[in-house]
Amino acid sequence: MMNKHKRIAIIGAGPGGLTLARILQQAGFNPVIFEGETSATQREQGGTLDLTEDMGQKALQVAGLLEQFKEICRYEGEALKVMDKTATVLYEDGANVNPESATDSRPEIDRKVLRHMLLDAVNPEAIKWGHKLLYATPLENGQHKLHFENGATEIVDLVVGADGAFSKLRPLVSKETAEYSGVSMIEINILDAKNQFPDIVELNGLGSVFALDDHKAMLPQMNGDGKIRVYLSFKVGKDWLHNNGINYDKLEEAKPKLLKLFEDWSPELKNYIHYANGPIFPRRIYMLPVAHKWAHKKGVTLLGDAAHLMSPFAGAGANLAMLDASELALSIIHHDDIDEAVRNYELKMFEYAGELAAITKSHMDLFFEMNAAEKTSELMKSFNEEENQDH
């Protein structure tokens, strides 16, 4: 009960930070979220997410939001095709998924929609927008003084870093920094694909495609607003994105150079590039060491990408951040000693996050191997067999 009087600060209003705040608020706590963005609409929120039963959905259950999620998620988004560069489909699953027949295993939701659902569930007065953390100073009693870019300072009993890949709080507990993974992506977008380009929608299906060959990948995903977001992915050096001669500010100038990178791929797959009509973004993929952990420090902890940044090749990022949030919140709620609560959360998180980081790393490596499409298809089939045995 004494923990309810502790001043808990959460750095970052992403899925992890919002989930943590929601669960704590339900239990009578008054955490404060400090977010660097000036509003919820300042920045594009990214693509679609599949929330798994054992992570994202589990956290939403604790937060009292699972039924709301099930009303707005997209079961058809679970559909997946694996292809090689000839557009030959080597694996297909869930093409006709609907709510009546869905297993509820990993339904999709656009990141923007999920964030709005969580924002609506959190006391708006608890979010301090426009508070970009510069650094935190440890004080003698385990408290921390937070220093923000706008000049504000706060003293808190516990500060939780939910502030992503380049966390300002991570240096307080760990010497590790996010390192380039060896993979870069160029994101392109096909806006209003359902109405304008029915042929690419038919090829894509209602979910995601893994088109893998030549140590590169096309990773398109259907979003809930009818957009297809495509991640053109390459195993390249860190400087390649800015040394490849592609002008990311002028899509029509970029297209011929993008097509050149997939020169001998099928015309159907190259249509993902031909049809692109939205923004284009270069993206380097960063990661922390697999099984990243740290010695416990009083008054500070991390969750999500701040704690265990990994590549997106297992769809684990948002799922893990939300699971971390629920585990940390429940530990705080059920322990009289907040420091012991954080310590217990960290030990549990290190174990499950380390296992998933290793799986994610192996998936990333697989996608860029020789015969990646065939090997990935076999992996997906084995997952299905295991799932069927479990049921």
Side-chain angles (χ1 to χ4, degrees), residues 67-370:
E67 292 309 311
Q68 186 178 343
F69 166 75
K70 288 184 174 182
E71 290 174 5
I72 60 177
C73 69
R74 303 192 324 278
Y75 294 99
E76 71 277 8
E78 291 187 63
L80 173 66
K81 295 179 183 180
V82 179
M83 304 178 186
D84 61 17
K85 68 181 181 182
T86 70
T88 300
V89 178
L90 303 177
Y91 172 85
E92 186 168 2
D93 182 53
N96 297 310
V97 170
N98 60 64
E100 286 72 35
S101 63
T103 62
D104 289 10
S105 57
R106 336 175 48 111
E108 297 275 338
I109 186 169
D110 286 8
R111 186 180 288 269
K112 178 172 65 175
V113 176
L114 174 65
R115 194 185 195 203
H116 279 304
M117 182 183 79
L118 290 168
L119 281 168
D120 288 344
V122 170
N123 177 1
E125 295 179 3
I127 305 177
K128 305 298 182 185
W129 298 98
H131 280 67
K132 183 177 182 180
L133 184 70
L134 292 176
Y135 60 95
T137 306
L139 304 178
E140 288 184 6
N141 55 3
Q143 292 182 314
H144 285 78
K145 186 173 185 178
L146 310 180
H147 304 260
F148 297 95
E149 193 174 70
N150 62 8
T153 60
E154 298 276 350
I155 294 177
V156 299
D157 298 301
L158 172 65
V159 57
V160 181
D163 53 340
F166 302 101
S167 170
K168 296 292 188 181
L169 288 177
R170 190 187 299 128
L172 290 177
V173 297
S174 173
K175 294 180 180 178
E176 299 290 354
T177 57
E179 299 290 344
Y180 177 59
S181 69
V183 173
S184 288
M185 295 179 171
I186 299 174
E187 177 193 325
I188 56 176
N189 288 272
I190 306 174
L191 309 180
D192 195 27
K194 285 190 175 181
N195 293 317
Q196 294 193 44
F197 307 106
D199 58 324
I200 204 74
V201 172
E202 184 177 355
L203 175 74
N204 192 93
L206 298 174
S208 298
V209 172
F210 298 162
L212 312 171
D213 225 324
D214 299 337
H215 308 290
K216 62 187 75 167
M218 281 189 185
L219 306 173
Q221 53 174 221
M222 178 65 73
N223 285 213
D225 58 3
K227 172 199 305 176
I228 297 179
R229 199 179 295 258
V230 187
Y231 300 96
L232 307 176
S233 306
F234 310 89
K235 196 165 188 177
V236 289
K238 185 176 181 181
D239 296 331
W240 179 83
L241 279 176
H242 296 292
N243 291 337
N244 58 21
I246 295 173
N247 185 345
Y248 304 107
D249 294 322
K250 295 185 178 179
L251 177 63
E252 293 308 314
E253 285 185 19
K255 281 185 182 182
K257 293 184 178 180
L258 294 175
L259 288 164
K260 185 81 172 171
L261 295 169
F262 294 90
E263 192 168 22
D264 64 343
W265 286 45
S266 77
E268 294 93 339
L269 288 171
K270 286 194 283 191
N271 278 340
Y272 281 113
I273 299 172
H274 282 297
Y275 295 165
N277 57 2
I280 175 171
F281 303 105
R283 301 194 185 283
R284 289 191 188 95
I285 305 303
Y286 288 83
M287 57 189 288
L288 284 165
V290 171
H292 176 234
K293 58 181 68 174
W294 57 85
H296 173 73
K297 299 285 178 65
K298 189 173 183 180
V300 58
T301 194
L302 309 173
L303 62 78
D305 285 349
H308 40 62
L309 177 67
M310 55 191 79
S311 73
F313 292 98
N319 275 294
L320 266 179
M322 295 170 70
L323 179 63
D324 291 349
S326 64
E327 293 292 348
L328 176 56
L330 290 173
S331 193
I332 291 171
I333 291 165
H334 293 135
H335 280 82
D336 290 332
D337 183 332
I338 197 167
D339 189 52
E340 188 63 25
V342 172
R343 189 189 303 271
N344 285 0
Y345 150 73
E346 288 173 345
L347 291 174
K348 189 172 184 179
M349 179 268 290
F350 292 154
E351 186 172 343
Y352 64 70
E355 291 175 2
L356 199 47
I359 293 170
T360 300
K361 175 68 163 58
S362 70
H363 285 189
M364 182 181 76
D365 293 341
L366 174 64
F367 273 31
F368 298 94
E369 287 183 8
M370 286 290 292

